[in-house]
């Protein structure tokens, strides 16, 4: 910009400032400012120059000039305050607001609409309340919709919904912005009934909802599974012409998925011409929450082909999908995408990766990811502790628990569940008891049923059955899960008398609970009480209760093969039987003896032994050994129920004779079998 030959008058300077704004050139504005100062026009053009700096993104330069001016217009004060808030310099904005008042400049509606947002961002409720009082003195609270809406928004963000409602009721002319702010506040604080009431009031007052109003009220309906009102609002959206608006469509999709109608969510998604990242992520999260993990993965891959770059929330959500059904190979692919986008050290992605590898039995990989996370928080610490807990690494989990306290991180409910589970799975009874005792002494910790369930299982499995029963009695209205844990422990230790004494408590609590009936039937069978077995099975037939069949699955070359006990429907049954026969001969030669105590059928000894051969995990392992080309790679199997004692012992011998690691995940935990030993130390 050449200024030397340019005419030095007000009209020219205004034109030059506009040119600088159009080209976003801060350096040129500085040149214009120099010429204006030389010409003696700074006082008249100071506000214009500040506006130019702001519009070019030069907040620091604007502030420097602002401080040099002897007199500033209210418009300039407002521009500086709103700009600083918009650039996340909220503390400086509040400082400007205070300076403005000290200099005798009274704030107007635009000042208050900006500064109330600043107070909520800084968490300064007291200062916000003082500013509210000042707005009342100036007569702006009730008379001005901008100030009213900003106040409602501020109080809502502080969770002060009573104050937000009082302000809203006093505003003379209420608009859609104010109503939407109040609806959002109620929705975010779980007060859905109140949010719906405000929405109805808005409609009755003749105020038309916009896309953000509809989006907010739909999210509220979804949060409490209020499908009826959600569908009514869907109808209003169509009637109002907002069905094609992205915000409304995304909220519709979310509402239906939260109400469990995932097919309706997919139908809504099909109407999107160009779904954005928020919409894709909402769909993926909904699919994962509704147990459609494989569909979620398919949609994620479709999203990346569009192409839309995922963010940390998208990636952490799809990683949760992989971890929930132990899709290790797919999870590794997502890990590569996480690394590609530079998010491998992100807290959310890091915690999700730790969770993935932990739930797939790869604690070494989980720890490598964990150690790379830059800023450890409670979520990432909990994920690593839970990984250790599931894999029976109790001492490692305890080390992390102590480190967490050293870092000043406050343990939450999930932390204590993880560390108690770790003690349980590693047989660290005394350590678990000490932690639980410290929790009871700490009045800031509210003991949950999950905490009690961990302790009942820990005490019960270690043979301290009376202590476990006494602990259950301390719980107000103990549920069937707690009593069933104790009955299971009684079965392990052959304590049938206690079972007889407490079984009615469980059956009275949940007469139709098939798990309890199956458990009792199994305990009676293991002790040879066949009359009681017949009685339990007759009751189950009369109540139409069904036992979940034991199933084991194994992933070979990205194809999942599922097996059930004694099921020969697999196309490779012949090869499986031959491999199994060979394995039986080899493990028996090194000391394996079938444990017929785990046959819960009234058969002779030879037939009992034969039935053990065809348990689902044995079939899966035989198939994996026959099918895999890499004869040194680990074998991973997954079972829907707890592994039986005979299969646990058999797999130990198999890992020894074939010299391969076998990783088994059952309904309780992971077992790592290697050279004839298991990571659980036989505390299964």
């Amino acid at each position: 910009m050449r200024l030397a030959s340019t005419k030095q008058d007000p009209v020219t300077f205004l034109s030059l400032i506009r040119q600088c704004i159009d080209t976003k050139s801060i350096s040129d504005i500085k040149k214009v400012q120099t010429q204006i100062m030389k010409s003696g026009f700074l006082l008249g053009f100071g506000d214009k120059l500040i506006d130019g700096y702001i519009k070019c993104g030069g907040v620091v330069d604007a502030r420097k000039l602002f401080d040099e001016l002897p007199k500033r217009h209210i418009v300039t004060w407002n521009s500086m305050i709103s700009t600083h808030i918009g650039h996340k310099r909220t503390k400086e904005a509040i400082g400007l607001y205070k300076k403005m008042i000290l200099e005798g400049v009274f704030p107007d509606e635009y000042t208050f609409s900006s500064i109330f947002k600043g107070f909520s961002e800084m968490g300064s409720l007291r200062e916000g309340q003082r500013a509210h009082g000042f707005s009342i003195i100036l007569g702006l609270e009730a008379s001005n919709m901008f100030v009213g809406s900003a106040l409602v928004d501020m109080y809502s963000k502080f969770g002060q919904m009573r104050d937000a409602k009082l302000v809203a009721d006093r505003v003379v002319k209420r608009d859609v912005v104010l109503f939407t702010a109040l609806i959002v506040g109620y929705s975010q604080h779980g007060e859905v009934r109140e949010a719906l009431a405000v929405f109805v009031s808005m409609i009755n007052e003749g105020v038309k909802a916009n896309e953000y109003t509809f989006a907010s009220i739909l999210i509220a309906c979804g949060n409490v599974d209020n499908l009826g009102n959600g569908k009514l609002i869907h109808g209003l959206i169509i009637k109002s012409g907002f069905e094609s608006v992205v915000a409304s469509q995304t909220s519709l999709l979310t509402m239906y998925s939260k109400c469990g109608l995932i097919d309706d969510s997919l139908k809504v998604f099909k109407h999107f011409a160009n779904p954005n990242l928020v919409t894709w992520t909402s769909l993926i999260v909904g699919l994962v929450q509704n147990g459609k993990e494989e569909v979620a993965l398919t949609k994620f891959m479709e999203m990346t082909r569009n192409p839309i770059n995922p963010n940390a929330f998208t990636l952490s959500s799809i990683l949760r999908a992989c971890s929930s059904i132990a899709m290790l190979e797919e999870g590794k692919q997502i890990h590569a995408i996480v690394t590609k986008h530079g998010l491998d050290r992100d807290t959310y992605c890091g915690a999700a990766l730790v969770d993935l590898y932990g739930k797939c039995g790869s604690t070494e990989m989980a720890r490598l990811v964990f150690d790379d996370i830059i800023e450890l928080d409670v979520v990432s610490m909990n994920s690593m502790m839970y990984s250790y807990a599931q894999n029976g690494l109790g001492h490692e989990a305890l080390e992390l628990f102590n480190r967490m306290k050293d870092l000043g991180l406050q343990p939450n409910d999930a932390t204590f569940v993880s560390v108690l589970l770790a003690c349980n799975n590693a047989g660290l009874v005394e350590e678990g008891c000490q932690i639980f005792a410290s929790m009871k002494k700490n009045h800031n910790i509210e003991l949950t049923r999950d905490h009690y369930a961990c302790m009942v299982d820990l005490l019960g499995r270690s043979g301290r059955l009376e202590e476990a029963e006494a602990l259950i009695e301390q719980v107000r209205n103990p549920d069937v899960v707690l009593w069933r844990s104790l009955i299971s422990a009684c079965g392990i230790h052959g304590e049938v008398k206690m079972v007889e004494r407490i079984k009615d408590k469980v059956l009275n609590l949940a007469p139709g609970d098939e798990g309890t009936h199956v458990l009792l039937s199994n305990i009676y069978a293991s002790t040879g009480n066949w009359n009681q077995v017949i009685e339990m099975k007759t009751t189950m037939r009369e109540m139409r209760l069904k036992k979940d069949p034991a199933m084991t699955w194994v992933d070979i070359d990205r194809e999942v093969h599922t097996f059930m006990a004694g099921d020969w429907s697999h196309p490779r049954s012949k090869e499986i039987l031959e491999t199994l026969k060979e394995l039986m001969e080899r493990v028996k030669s090194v000391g394996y003896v079938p444990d017929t105590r785990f046959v819960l059928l009234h058969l002779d000894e030879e037939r009992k032994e034969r039935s053990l051969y065809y348990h689902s995990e044995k079939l899966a392992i035989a198939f994996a050994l026959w099918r895999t080309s890499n004869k040194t790679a680990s074998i991973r199997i997954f079972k829907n129920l707890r592994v039986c004692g005979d299969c646990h012992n058999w797999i130990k011998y198999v890992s020894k004779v074939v010299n391969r690691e076998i990783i088994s995940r059952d309904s309780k935990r992971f077992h790592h079998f290697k050279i004839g030993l298991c990571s659980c130390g036989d505390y299964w």
Side-chain angles (χ1 to χ4, degrees):
M1 179 177 287
R2 294 181 180 179
L3 296 174
S5 59
T6 305
K7 188 179 178 182
Q8 309 289 300
D9 61 46
V11 176
T12 305
F13 286 137
L14 277 173
S15 176
L16 289 170
I17 292 170
R18 287 193 202 100
Q19 289 178 42
C20 295
I21 293 170
D22 290 341
T23 58
K24 303 291 182 187
S25 176
I26 293 174
S27 60
D28 283 347
I29 291 183
K30 287 181 178 179
K31 292 175 185 177
V32 175
Q33 180 183 334
T34 302
Q35 289 300 315
I36 289 173
M37 291 173 73
K38 286 179 180 178
S39 304
F41 289 120
L42 182 60
L43 194 59
F45 282 92
D47 294 330
K48 299 291 183 186
L49 284 166
I50 288 170
D51 183 58
Y53 279 125
I54 287 171
K55 287 176 178 175
C56 291
V59 182
V60 175
D61 295 299
R63 179 61 192 267
K64 184 181 177 184
L65 177 57
F66 179 85
D67 289 338
E68 291 172 357
L69 292 177
K71 188 177 180 182
R72 280 88 45 151
H73 193 275
I74 181 67
V75 174
T76 307
W77 281 101
N78 289 342
S79 294
M80 289 298 293
I81 290 168
S82 63
T83 299
H84 276 75
I85 291 171
H87 284 79
K88 305 298 180 186
R89 302 168 76 122
T90 309
K91 192 174 181 179
E92 293 174 56
I94 293 171
L96 281 166
Y97 167 74
K98 291 177 179 178
K99 186 177 182 182
M100 172 186 183
I101 295 170
L102 287 171
E103 292 190 13
V105 180
F106 281 6
D108 62 11
E109 63 265 37
Y110 302 108
T111 319
F112 284 122
S113 63
S114 294
I115 204 62
F116 287 137
K117 181 182 178 184
F119 289 132
S120 63
E121 286 183 2
M122 287 294 292
S124 305
L125 176 59
R126 290 282 179 87
E127 292 196 55
Q129 289 170 329
R130 279 196 285 269
H132 179 190
F134 196 17
S135 73
I136 294 173
I137 292 169
L138 295 173
L140 292 171
E141 181 218 41
S143 64
N144 191 280
M145 66 177 71
F146 293 113
V147 177
S149 298
L151 273 167
V152 169
D153 182 67
M154 180 188 76
Y155 282 123
S156 295
K157 285 175 179 172
F158 281 119
Q160 305 289 320
M161 294 311 302
R162 182 176 173 273
D163 291 328
K165 182 69 164 57
L166 286 171
V167 171
D169 289 343
R170 285 199 294 266
V171 175
V172 177
K173 189 177 179 182
R174 305 195 288 185
D175 65 354
V176 68
V177 177
L178 183 144
F179 279 113
T180 302
L182 195 56
I183 289 168
V184 169
Y186 279 129
S187 300
Q188 289 179 340
H189 293 91
E191 299 179 52
V192 177
R193 185 178 294 178
E194 288 79 3
L196 285 165
V198 172
F199 181 76
V200 171
S201 296
M202 184 185 76
I203 300 300
N204 290 339
E205 287 185 27
V207 178
K208 290 185 177 180
N210 61 23
E211 59 185 286
Y212 304 107
T213 319
F214 283 126
S216 302
I217 200 68
L218 280 170
I219 289 168
C221 292
N223 286 341
V224 292
D225 200 9
N226 193 331
L227 182 61
N229 281 319
K231 285 187 172 182
L232 286 173
I233 292 161
H234 188 177
L236 275 175
I237 289 171
I238 296 169
K239 188 177 178 180
S240 303
F242 284 108
E243 192 181 21
S244 60
V245 177
V246 171
S248 301
Q249 283 186 311
T250 303
S251 298
L252 268 173
L253 183 154
T254 303
M255 186 272 292
Y256 281 124
S257 67
K258 284 187 174 181
C259 291
L261 299 178
I262 198 64
D263 290 337
D264 289 311
S265 286
L266 289 166
K267 285 175 186 176
V268 172
F269 183 77
K270 285 179 182 177
H271 287 96
F272 279 85
N274 295 297
N276 60 23
L277 176 60
V278 175
T279 306
W280 277 107
T281 303
S282 298
L283 178 67
I284 289 165
V285 169
L287 287 164
V288 174
Q289 289 174 342
N290 283 275
K292 303 285 185 181
E293 291 88 357
E294 292 182 46
V295 181
L297 191 62
T298 302
K299 290 295 179 184
F300 175 79
M301 293 304 179
E302 187 182 329
M303 182 192 84
T304 57
R305 288 193 296 269
N306 265 355
I308 290 177
N309 289 327
N311 60 18
F313 186 57
T314 320
L315 290 164
S316 61
S317 300
I318 199 63
L319 282 167
R320 300 288 181 196
C322 295
S323 64
S324 63
I325 53 175
M327 294 190 292
L328 180 59
E329 293 307 314
E330 290 80 358
K332 285 179 178 178
Q333 290 179 27
I334 308 299
H335 189 173
I337 296 172
V338 170
T339 305
K340 180 183 174 183
H341 286 86
L343 294 169
D344 46 327
R345 295 190 173 189
D346 174 82
T347 304
Y348 295 107
C349 289
L353 282 166
V354 169
D355 185 61
L356 165 75
Y357 287 116
K359 286 180 178 175
C360 290
S362 298
T363 49
E364 297 87 354
M365 274 300 300
R367 187 62 197 236
L368 284 172
V369 172
F370 176 80
D371 288 338
D372 274 344
I373 298 173
I374 294 173
E375 191 174 338
L376 292 173
D377 65 356
V378 176
V379 176
S380 52
M381 295 290 279
N382 287 352
S383 295
M384 193 65 237
M385 267 189 279
Y386 189 71
S387 297
Y388 281 141
Q390 279 201 311
N391 288 275
L393 300 170
H395 291 291
E396 289 82 351
L398 286 171
E399 182 270 326
L400 265 189
F401 179 67
N402 292 324
R403 181 183 167 193
M404 185 177 182
K405 291 187 285 186
D406 294 339
L407 290 171
L409 295 172
Q410 190 67 35
N412 59 18
D413 287 349
T415 312
F416 288 110
V417 168
S418 295
V419 75
L420 289 174
L421 182 64
C423 293
N424 189 358
N425 285 346
L428 303 175
V429 182
E430 293 308 318
E431 290 86 343
C433 289
Q434 287 171 14
I435 291 169
F436 190 74
S438 70
M439 291 169 67
K440 291 178 77 173
K441 288 178 184 176
N442 190 337
H443 297 296
N444 294 322
I445 299 170
E446 186 176 348
L447 292 170
T448 67
R449 291 184 190 278
D450 287 336
H451 299 141
Y452 278 103
C454 287
M455 282 306 297
V456 168
D457 200 41
L458 174 65
L459 292 169
R461 293 177 70 78
S462 63
R464 294 160 66 167
L465 301 172
E466 290 77 13
E467 289 180 63
E469 184 181 6
L471 191 61
I472 295 175
E473 298 289 0
Q474 293 176 21
V475 181
R476 185 183 298 173
N477 301 320
D479 61 12
V480 67
V481 175
L482 290 173
W483 287 113
R484 201 164 60 202
S485 294
L486 180 56
I487 289 175
S488 178
C490 290
I492 292 169
H493 297 286
E495 187 56 62
V496 182
K497 286 184 180 179
M498 182 177 274
V499 171
E500 286 296 317
R501 182 164 54 80
I502 66 175
K503 72 174 184 180
D504 288 339
K505 293 182 179 182
V506 192
L507 294 173
N508 289 336
L509 271 174
D513 181 58
E514 65 270 13
T516 303
H517 286 82
V518 170
L519 183 58
L520 288 169
S521 176
N522 289 347
I523 290 172
Y524 291 136
S526 66
T527 56
N529 193 340
W530 300 109
N531 289 332
Q532 286 281 55
V533 172
I534 292 168
E535 185 181 325
M536 291 303 302
K537 290 191 173 181
T538 301
T539 303
M540 287 180 70
R541 276 196 299 272
E542 289 172 354
M543 297 180 72
R544 297 183 179 179
L545 302 177
K546 289 185 178 180
K547 176 185 176 182
D548 288 332
M551 292 188 293
T552 303
W553 59 97
V554 60
D555 188 339
I556 306 291
D557 298 330
R558 298 193 182 179
E559 184 180 356
V560 177
H561 300 262
T562 305
F563 299 89
M564 294 172 65
D567 179 16
W568 299 107
S569 61
H570 195 280
R572 293 294 186 178
S573 292
K574 182 182 176 183
E575 290 85 351
I576 293 168
L577 184 59
E578 290 173 354
T579 306
L580 190 57
K581 185 179 178 182
E582 181 191 340
L583 280 173
M584 285 297 178
E585 291 173 357
R586 292 177 68 184
V587 295
K588 282 184 176 181
S589 69
V590 293
Y592 165 70
V593 177
D595 192 342
T596 56
R597 290 178 304 162
F598 294 96
V599 178
L600 306 175
L601 299 169
H602 196 17
L603 304 170
D604 60 49
E605 202 64 21
E606 185 180 344
R607 290 171 69 193
K608 280 185 177 182
E609 186 175 323
R610 177 62 58 182
S611 72
L612 284 172
Y613 288 2
Y614 307 128
H615 278 194
S616 61
E617 47 265 74
K618 291 186 175 83
L619 298 176
I621 289 171
F623 173 72
L625 288 169
W626 171 78
R627 177 70 180 272
T628 51
S629 55
N630 185 348
K631 300 302 180 184
T632 59
S634 298
I635 292 170
R636 296 172 186 272
I637 64 167
F638 303 89
K639 189 177 180 181
N640 65 329
L641 304 176
R642 210 162 187 164
V643 64
C644 83
D646 176 73
C647 287
H648 184 273
N649 194 37
W650 181 82
I651 299 170
K652 285 199 301 181
Y653 281 102
V654 172
S655 71
K656 183 177 182 179
V657 298
V658 301
N659 196 25
R660 289 175 72 172
E661 182 182 25
I662 300 171
I663 301 170
S664 171
R665 175 182 171 183
D666 64 14
S667 61
K668 172 74 175 173
R669 55 167 297 161
F670 273 97
H671 299 266
H672 296 254
F673 299 93
K674 205 168 185 178
I675 57 173
L677 300 172
C678 179
S679 59
C680 73
D682 290 344
Y683 190 81
W684 56 273

